[in-house]
Amino acid sequence: MPDSQPPFADFPFDLTADETAAQVEAALVARREERTSTNWIALIRLFDGTEIPCNVKDISKSGAKLGVPATYELPSAFMIRIIGRDFVLRVNLAWRRGNYAGVRIERIAKLPVVEEKKAPAAELASNYSSIGTRRSRISPD
């Protein structure tokens, strides 16, 4: 009678179940570049002007993993603006699973830095006209 059990000669028995699962996942998901874990707050900008809030969970030179609620339907191409950073990404949707989406980065554009106009401190200290005056309770004679 033939043996119904497959041979396990190549299987490393000294690994725990968690280590085995991690190795299998690493073998299945081969990356070209190393990904860096992040938790950046971002906005997905669709080409019709719609903005969808999201998180950038990890990023590499060629792609990123986004946390996006499953209720939002994503098109095949869109822009991502990272809040607090001076760049925007043009991306293509690679995959979607539940509240996560994988994207391929097509182009990176640098945003112009907007400088706020601030009055010098010396000018503010000597000019009290913006404060106004207080009415006196004593009537002038």
Side-chain angles (χ1 to χ4, degrees):
M1 179 173 219
D3 188 16
S4 63
Q5 295 289 331
F8 290 109
D10 296 332
F11 189 77
F13 285 103
D14 57 336
L15 296 176
T16 64
D18 291 338
E19 291 172 332
T20 305
Q23 283 187 351
V24 168
E25 183 178 342
L28 293 176
V29 183
R31 304 269 184 224
R32 286 183 280 174
E33 291 97 13
E34 182 178 333
R35 293 207 170 201
T36 304
S37 289
T38 63
N39 196 18
W40 295 340
I41 298 171
L43 287 174
I44 293 173
R45 289 189 175 172
L46 305 181
F47 295 113
D48 65 356
T50 306
E51 291 185 339
I52 300 170
C54 70
N55 287 355
V56 178
K57 297 299 185 182
D58 64 39
I59 194 163
S60 71
K61 291 179 183 179
S62 63
K65 179 180 178 182
L66 306 177
V68 185
T71 56
Y72 291 107
E73 187 174 328
L74 297 177
S76 62
F78 50 91
M79 307 288 281
I80 300 173
R81 180 176 177 268
I82 309 319
I83 304 297
R85 308 281 177 176
D86 61 347
F87 62 91
V88 66
L89 307 171
R90 185 183 193 308
V91 298
N92 289 332
L93 186 64
W95 54 266
R96 182 72 193 255
R97 289 184 207 107
N99 290 330
Y100 296 101
V103 295
R104 284 186 298 277
I105 298 172
E106 296 298 320
R107 183 171 291 193
I108 301 173
K110 187 166 176 68
L111 295 173
V113 178
V114 178
E115 293 184 26
E116 293 181 20
K117 293 184 179 182
K118 294 183 180 179
E123 183 181 313
L124 287 176
S126 63
N127 184 1
Y128 294 107
S129 63
S130 64
I131 296 174
T133 58
R134 190 170 184 187
R135 286 181 41 174
S136 173
R137 292 185 185 189
I138 302 172
S139 62
D141 290 325

